[in-house]
Amino acid sequence: MTKKEEPPPSRVPRAVRVASLLSEGEELSGDDQGDEEEDDHAYEGVPNGGWHTSSLSLSLPSTIAAPHPMDGPPGGSTPVTPVIKAGWLDKNPPQGSYIYQKRWVRLDTDHLRYFDSNKDAYSKRFISVACISHVAAIGDQKFEVITNNRTFAFRAESDVERKEWMQALQQAMAEQRARARLSSAYLLGVPGSEQPDRAGSLELRGFKNKLYVAVVGDKVQLYKNLEEYHLGIGITFIDMSVGNVKEVDRRSFDLTTPYRIFSFSADSELEKEQWLEAMQGAIAEALSTSEVAERIWAAAPNRFCADCGAPQPDWASINLCVVICKRCAGEHRGLGAGVSKVRSLKMDRKVWTETLIELFLQLGNGAGNRFWAANVPPSEALQPSSSPSTRRCHLEAKYREGKYRRYHPLFGNQEELDKALCAAVTTTDLAETQALLGCGAGINCFSGDPEAPTPLALAEQAGQTLQMEFLRNNRTTEVPRLDSMKPLEKHYSVVLPTVSHSGFLYKTASAGKLLQDRRAREEFSRRWCVLGDGVLSYFENERAVTPNGEIRASEIVCLAVPPPDTHGFEHTFEVYTEGERLYLFGLESTEQAHEWVKCIAKAFVPPLAEDLLARDFERLGRLPYKAGLSLQRAQEGWFSLSGSELRAVFPEGPCEEPLQLRKLQELSIQGDSENQVLVLVERRRTLYIQGERRLDFMGWLGAIQKAAASMGDTLSEQQLGDSDIPVIVYRCVDYITQCGLTSEGIYRKCGQTSKTQRLLESLRQDARSVHLKEGEQHVDDVSSALKRFLRDLPDGLFTRAQRLAWLEASEIEDEEEKVSRYRELLVRLPPVNRATVKALISHLYCVQCFSDTNQMNVHNLAIVFGPTLFQTDGQDYKAGRVVEDLINHYVVVFSVDEEELRKQREEITAIVKMRVAGTASGTQHAGDFICTVYLEEKKAETEQHIKIPASMTAEELTLEILDRRNVGIREKDYWTCFEVNEREEAERPLHFAEKVLPILHGLGTDSHLVVKKHQAMEAMLLYLASRVGDTKHGMMKFREDRSLLGLGLPSGGFHDRYFILNSSCLRLYKEVRSQRPWSGAPETSHRPEKEWPVKSLKVYLGVKKKLRPPTCWGFTVVHETEKHEKQQWYLCCDTQMELREWFATFLFVQHDGLVWPSEPSRVSRAVPEVRLGSVSLIPLRGSENEMRRSVAAFTADPLSLLRNV
C-alpha cells in the first residue's frame, strides 16, 4: 500500500499547521459522531489572526529538537516522565480509509501521544494509558489500541516492530492498573487520573467552539469537550515549566510558551481570575524541585496521601509527620498551625533538613496512619474524589478530635503518660513517642532531672536527633480533645464566635499582589454578600442561590482598612487570605463599612485576641514571630495596628502588649527577598516578625514603616527616643556634643542653606535611619538644622498657650521666686516638650562649659536660642533672658541630682581628655576625638584612626571600622570589638551596647582595641538558646591574687572551688557536699565563702602564662568595689565548651539576656562608596565545627533563624 509522504514542515500551509496542533480533521468540527477524519484541509478557513504571528508554526528549526512537555524542557525542574517507546507509525482513521498518514508516536507511563513530526512541541492527540482497555493485532503489521468507545489503528514497518509496540503498550497498561489498585484513584470515571485543580470550558482565539481545559498538577490539558475529558482522550497538554500567564482584558488572558501563545477567554472576570490563579499555581509547581519528594516517596506508604490515598502527594504536615495531597493540605491549613503545620515537599526547600527527611522515612504515613487512622470505619474513609466539606469534617475528626486514633494503654493517666514519654525519647522508638503525645503526654513535662528537665533535653542528652526533631515540631501542637461524656460534641481549643451579617458590597477581582494604584469606581462590581457559619460568600444578586465565590474565615490572615478615598469608593477594606489573595471591598456609607469590618474581624479573630477589637485599627491579623532567646521556632501572634501603636497578643500571655512604633530603637528588614524578617527593637525588647506569606507581610511591612515614621511637624508626632526626646533633636545634640563643643561660634554661625535643608528633610523623613558622620556633615550645618527645626515647630517648644507666661516669669526680680515659677511652668508643658526642653538646656549647659574655646557663653547662647525657641523676631529681650535663666539654674529648675550631674561631668571630662590626647598627637582638629583601633590584629598596616563620640557603642564602632575597610559581613560572621590587655594576656569582647568612650578613658598603655570575629559566639548563643534556667553552677580551678583578695588559700597554684552564678551574684564555695539523691546536683554549704555582685565584674578571656594555669581554657575576672578598688582572680575550666558556657552565662546575666544584637544592622549595612585604606585584610583561621558540640543536633539553627528566616 502506498504511503502518503509527509511534506517538509516549512512547506505545510499555515492554517493546516494550526489545525494539526489541536486535532485531526473532524475533531474540531461541530458534528462529532465518535469517528476521526483525517482531512486537514477542512481547517484552511481558520483565521491567521487566531495565533500570534511570532509562533504560527509548530515546527521548530531542524537543528533544534522540540522538547516534549512530558520530557521536561531544557532548564526546567519538572521531573522527567520516562519514555517507554517512540518511533514512526502509520495511522489509519477508523472510517476505513486506505490512506495512511505517517505519525511520530511516543509512549510513556501515562500517555500514548502522536505528532505530525518528531520536532513538534504539541501532540495531535493523546490517549491516557489508563483508558486503554486492550491492544490487538489486526493483520499484516497492524494493531489496534482500543478504549471504551474508540479504536485507534496503527501500522508498523514490520511484524517485529509491531510486536515491540504491543508489548510496550501492554506493559504500560499493567503498570498503570497496578498503581491504580494501590491508590484507589478512580476520578471522574478515569482510573488513575489526577483530579484537576481547575477544569471547565474556555474560548481559544481562532476557533468557533469552546475547548474543555483542565489544570492538572504542572500541566494544562486541552480536550475537545467534556465527554472526551471523561474518556481520557485529549488534544494536547502544555508543560507550565515553560509557560507564563498574563491578563489581557476583563475576560481574556494569554498563556505564553516558547512555541506558541494561547489566547483564552473566560465567561466572566471572576472566572478569568480563577483560571489565572490555577495556572499560576501550576507554574509554581512546575518550577519547584522534586528532589525532596522523591526521597520521601522512597518509603512506600509515603507515595500516597495519608488521608485520601491520592498518588504522589507533594505536601506534608511536619508535626503530624504525614505526607498529604494538595487538596488535603488545603483543609489541613484550615485546622490551624496548632493542629497541623503544612509545608510543601517541592517549594519549601529550606524546611527540609536531612534530619526532617529521615524522620519522615522512619515515621511517615505508615506509622502515622497506624496511630491516627487505626479505627476509621470504611464508610467514613476519604477518597481522592471526596468533596472539600467531606475532607474538612473527616480531618477535623481525625486530627483535632483524635476520633480514629489508637489509644495508648496509659491514656487518661497523665502522670504515667509523662513518665513514659520521658523514657521513650531516650530511645529510637519514634512511634511510641508519637502515640504518647497524641494521647495527651505533656511535651514540656518535668522529667525529674534538673540537668535535663524536659523530654527535649532528655532526647538531646541521649543523642536522639530524630526524637529531638519530632519534639521541636510538636512544641505548640494541641492535644486532640474528644469529650468522653459527650462523644458527639466537638471541643476545639480555639472556637471562633458565630457572626452573621449580609448586605451589598462593591468588590473588585481578587489580586495576587498589593494594590499600588487607585482602583476606579468602574472596576468594582456590586455583589450581595453574606457572612455566616465562618464563611463570607458573595453572590451575583440577592436572589442568586449559588455564590460566585466564598472566603472562609479560618483562611483570613489579615484585614486592612485603607484611609478614606484611597479608591473609587470613599470607604474600602482589604481581606488577605492564606492562599496569597487580596480581596478589595468598597462602600459609601461610613456606618455600613464600619459594621462590615467589625463583623469580619469578629469572625476570624479567636477569643485569645478579642481585646484587639476594642479599638479601631488600620490593620489586623496574625503573623509568625520570634522573640527573646527562643528563636529555634516561630509562634503565631495576633497584631493590630492603630496609628503609631502596634498592639500584639502572644500565645504565652493573654494580655496585649503595645509597641510604640515611633519610639523604636531599630526598625529594619533582614534576610533575602524570599525570606524576609521585620526586626523591631524597643527598649531592650526585640521582636522578629516573619514573612511566611509574602502578600500580607508586605502589607504589614509598608504599614509599620509608615506608622514608625514622623507623622507631622509637632514634637509629639516625631520619632521619639527612650526619654520621649525626638530622635531628630537627639541626633543633632549628640553630634554637636562630640564634634562641635570646641568649634568657635557654634550655633552662632550658620551652615550652608542647601546642605542644611537636605539634612533637615532627611531627619524629618526618618531620623532613626540618619547617622551623622564627621566628614560628611559639618557641625554648623547640623546646628542650623536643629535651630530650623525648633523654629518651625507649629506650636513652638514652649507652646503658644504658655509662651507668654514664660516671658512674664523672666521679669520676676526675686531669683528664688522666679526659679519656682519656671518649675511650675515646666510641669505644665506636654511630656515630650518638657523632656526636649531639659535635653536642650542640658546640652547648652555643656556648650557653655567650653566657652573659653568656642566663645559661646551663657549670654551668647541665650541671644541665639531665645528668638529660636520662642519664635520671636529678636526684638523681645525677655526670650533670651528665659534661656539664660534656664541654663544658669539648670540644676535646680530641672531637679538634676548629684548622680546625673556627675555622669554629665564625667562625659565632659572624657571628651576633654580625648581632645587633649588627639591634639598632642597632632592627628586631629579642634572638636575631633581620635583613637587607634586595629582590624583583626595589632599591626601598623591594620590600624585605623577613628573619632569616638560619647554615645558610640561597641557595635557602632565595629561597623564603622568594617565600613572604612570595605569589609562585607557574611553569614555566621560575628564581628566584635575586643579590649585587649597585653600585660595580662587576656581580652574581653565588648558588649554590643557598651559605650566605648569610658573604656578608652580607663585603658592603660598596654591595652588597645581590636575589631575581629568572635569565634565562640555561635556556640555560646546555641548554648543559651538550648539551656533551661538562668543560673549556672559547677567546679572550676581557682587562683587568687593574694595581695588583693586575701582568702587564706595556699599560694602558688590553682585549687578546686565550687561556683554558683545567678542573675545577681557570683558565689564561691570551698566545699562540695554529697549528691542530692533526687537530682544528682551537688549540695553546697549554705553560706558562700565569697560573694560578688555580678554587675560589677569584668570577665576577660585568657590567663597569663606565668601563672601556669592547669588548662588552656581560663579567664581573668576583675571586680571593682564601691570604693573603686580593684580585685582580680583567675578561673580555669576543664574543656573549651565549659569555658564558653560560663562566659555566655556571664554575658547573659550581666546584660539582661541581650547577648547579641539583631543581625540586620550588620548584614544589610551599606558599604560606603569611598574606600579609606588599601591594605589587604588578614585571613582568619579557625574551624567552626568545634563550636557546635552536641547542640549541632538542632536542625532549626537559632542563629540561621536570626539571619534568614
Side-chain angles (χ1 to χ4, degrees), residues 875-1053:
Q875 301 299 319
D876 193 344
Y877 69 93
K878 290 180 288 190
R881 182 181 292 179
V882 173
V883 175
E884 190 170 350
D885 289 339
L886 292 178
I887 297 174
N888 285 327
H889 300 287
Y890 161 67
V891 174
V892 180
V893 172
F894 297 98
S895 303
V896 181
D897 57 29
E898 286 296 325
E899 179 65 20
E900 186 177 353
L901 193 61
R902 182 184 65 81
K903 290 181 179 178
Q904 191 170 349
R905 286 172 178 168
E906 285 181 356
E907 181 178 330
I908 296 175
T909 302
I911 291 173
V912 171
K913 178 182 177 183
M914 293 301 301
R915 178 173 62 83
V916 171
T919 304
S921 65
T923 59
Q924 66 178 98
H925 305 289
D928 297 345
F929 308 99
I930 304 295
C931 80
T932 300
V933 181
Y934 298 93
L935 181 62
E936 297 198 272
E937 61 180 297
K938 187 178 180 182
K939 283 186 177 182
E941 60 267 25
T942 64
E943 66 181 21
Q944 188 75 43
H945 302 291
I946 186 170
K947 183 269 301 179
I948 306 293
S951 63
M952 176 176 274
T953 63
E955 180 186 22
E956 292 170 343
L957 173 61
T958 301
L959 296 176
E960 182 73 20
I961 292 294
L962 296 179
D963 275 357
R964 290 193 177 193
R965 301 306 293 267
N966 204 22
V967 178
I969 303 178
R970 298 170 298 179
E971 289 188 4
K972 299 187 179 181
D973 281 355
Y974 298 93
W975 289 94
T976 306
C977 183
F978 284 77
E979 173 194 346
V980 180
N981 189 319
E982 296 176 347
R983 181 173 59 87
E984 290 292 334
E985 301 176 26
E987 61 183 16
R988 181 174 73 92
L990 305 186
H991 185 259
F992 69 89
E994 197 169 347
K995 293 292 180 20
V996 179
L997 197 59
I999 297 170
L1000 291 174
H1001 180 65
L1003 284 183
T1005 56
D1006 50 7
S1007 298
H1008 62 272
L1009 297 181
V1010 60
V1011 171
K1012 60 181 180 178
K1013 292 180 183 178
H1014 197 318
Q1015 301 288 6
M1017 181 55 72
E1018 180 177 5
M1020 292 195 300
L1021 288 175
L1022 282 168
Y1023 164 72
L1024 292 173
S1026 61
R1027 75 193 187 114
V1028 178
D1030 295 337
T1031 63
K1032 181 163 180 61
H1033 55 84
M1035 297 293 297
M1036 284 190 286
K1037 307 288 186 182
F1038 175 81
R1039 174 168 177 161
E1040 40 85 24
D1041 188 331
R1042 296 180 66 247
S1043 62
L1044 297 177
L1045 293 180
L1047 294 180
L1049 295 172
S1051 61

Side-chain angles (χ1 to χ4, degrees), residues 805-824:
W806 280 91
L807 296 175
E808 291 174 350
S810 67
E811 296 183 315
I812 300 175
E813 295 184 358
D814 184 79
E815 288 295 314
E816 289 188 6
E817 183 181 350
K818 181 165 60 174
V819 170
S820 178
R821 178 60 175 163
Y822 284 147
R823 290 168 61 91
E824 292 176 8

